[in-house]
Amino acid sequence: KNFVRRSRVLLRLRQDDYNTYDYIEELQKNFGLELTYFFLLANFGTYDKNVPYSSKALQDLIQSISNKYRVGIHPGVASHDSVSILKEEIRRLQFITEKKVTHARLHYLKMNGAETYRNLLQCEIENDYTMGFADVIGFKSGTALPHYWYDFKQEKETTLLLHPFVAMDATLNRYMKLSASEAVAKLKELKQTCSKLQVPFCLLWHNESFSECNEWKGWKEVVAEVMR
């Protein structure tokens, strides 16, 4: 079924189900969401199966979004412990957008502890959105507030601002095995708590979650339901 659908997309017989950016932009406008779009521009690998960074269609999409909204790099798995690979992926995004890249979120939330943060700083990344759990909801660092990473080895506060997220779509669906309606209820509860405490309600979401394909069937309206 997936093969047939993908073949029809490649043959231009149907729209790409994962091209959900118009819908995301509609959500952004309707609910006044403050979004950052992260793009994966890694080399193809076991865990990085993104559209090639050289794709004209992908580059046009990135340029279009970066002209209107905040864009960041989504470093691939191989870059979490390699500053040279990280630099190359950032360079690709800067080449496409013609803008300095200062926001990042690691693929699969993959990190190598303090080394990854030091690499991000070396690449002049100012904001990171990797601070969160993959398998459960909640604030990983014990706070919902953005905070600067403290380098214990050098005993100093750095300029890298960490933005904790409270929940991720894959966490709710794949790990916690919640239905779309159960996810809405759980997210509304978290949103209400964040509102009472006057702290950011930060979510991590993927474009495929709006596609209505495979495991994401019925999930398209989750964010809209939570934000209403």
Side-chain angles (χ1 to χ4, degrees):
K1 188 176 181 180
N2 284 335
F3 176 79
V4 171
R5 185 175 66 247
R6 291 184 185 187
S7 298
R8 288 177 61 82
V9 169
L10 291 172
L11 292 171
R12 300 180 185 275
L13 298 176
R14 67 175 287 163
Q15 294 293 317
D16 183 354
D17 299 276
Y18 296 126
N19 187 359
T20 57
Y21 297 96
D22 287 342
Y23 177 76
I24 296 172
E25 186 172 357
E26 184 182 323
L27 285 176
Q28 189 167 3
K29 291 178 179 177
N30 290 343
F31 299 103
L33 305 180
E34 183 182 345
L35 303 187
T36 304
Y37 293 78
F38 297 99
F39 287 96
L40 182 63
L41 302 177
N43 291 334
F44 189 87
T46 303
Y47 299 103
D48 299 319
K49 300 184 183 299
N50 46 290
V51 175
Y53 67 89
S54 57
S55 164
K56 181 65 166 57
L58 177 62
Q59 292 186 8
D60 288 345
L61 172 66
I62 295 174
Q63 288 173 349
S64 174
I65 291 177
S66 69
N67 286 337
K68 297 177 286 185
Y69 307 113
R70 188 166 57 212
V71 168
I73 190 66
H74 188 32
V77 169
S79 71
H80 82 280
D81 60 356
S82 172
V83 70
S84 61
I85 295 177
L86 179 61
K87 282 183 176 179
E88 174 59 21
E89 293 177 12
I90 291 173
R91 185 199 66 78
R92 292 168 182 173
L93 183 58
Q94 289 183 158
F95 176 79
I96 295 170
T97 63
E98 298 182 342
K99 296 177 182 178
K100 183 179 179 180
V101 175
T102 59
H103 294 72
R105 199 279 282 184
L106 279 295
H107 200 197
Y108 287 101
L109 309 181
K110 181 73 172 176
M111 295 192 63
N112 191 23
E115 180 184 348
T116 300
Y117 282 144
R118 293 191 186 102
N119 289 347
L120 291 173
L121 283 164
Q122 189 174 332
C123 294
E124 300 184 4
I125 295 296
E126 300 171 4
N127 298 272
D128 178 71
Y129 297 77
T130 311
M131 182 59 72
F133 296 111
D135 54 347
V136 294
I137 58 176
F139 291 105
K140 187 174 182 179
S141 58
T143 178
L145 298 173
H147 54 282
Y148 289 99
W149 177 60
Y150 190 87
D151 190 331
F152 286 98
K153 185 176 182 179
Q154 299 183 32
E155 285 294 346
K156 70 174 185 178
E157 183 180 81
T158 69
T159 58
L160 179 62
L161 187 61
L162 308 183
H163 299 263
F165 65 86
V166 68
M168 178 171 62
D169 49 5
T171 302
L172 298 161
N173 188 341
R174 295 172 182 164
Y175 289 92
M176 298 178 67
K177 306 297 182 183
L178 299 183
S179 66
S181 59
E182 290 171 334
V184 168
K186 180 62 68 176
L187 290 172
K188 282 185 175 181
E189 181 182 329
L190 291 170
K191 181 186 175 186
Q192 185 177 23
T193 300
C194 289
S195 179
K196 285 181 179 179
L197 297 174
Q198 297 183 318
V199 297
F201 175 60
C202 185
L203 300 178
L204 185 57
W205 229 249
H206 297 77
N207 58 298
E208 67 175 312
S209 306
F210 302 104
S211 68
E212 290 290 318
C213 285
N214 302 323
E215 64 191 303
W216 298 109
K217 191 169 183 61
W219 282 71
K220 183 176 182 178
E221 300 296 327
V222 166
V223 172
E225 288 295 325
V226 172
M227 295 303 169
R228 284 195 177 97

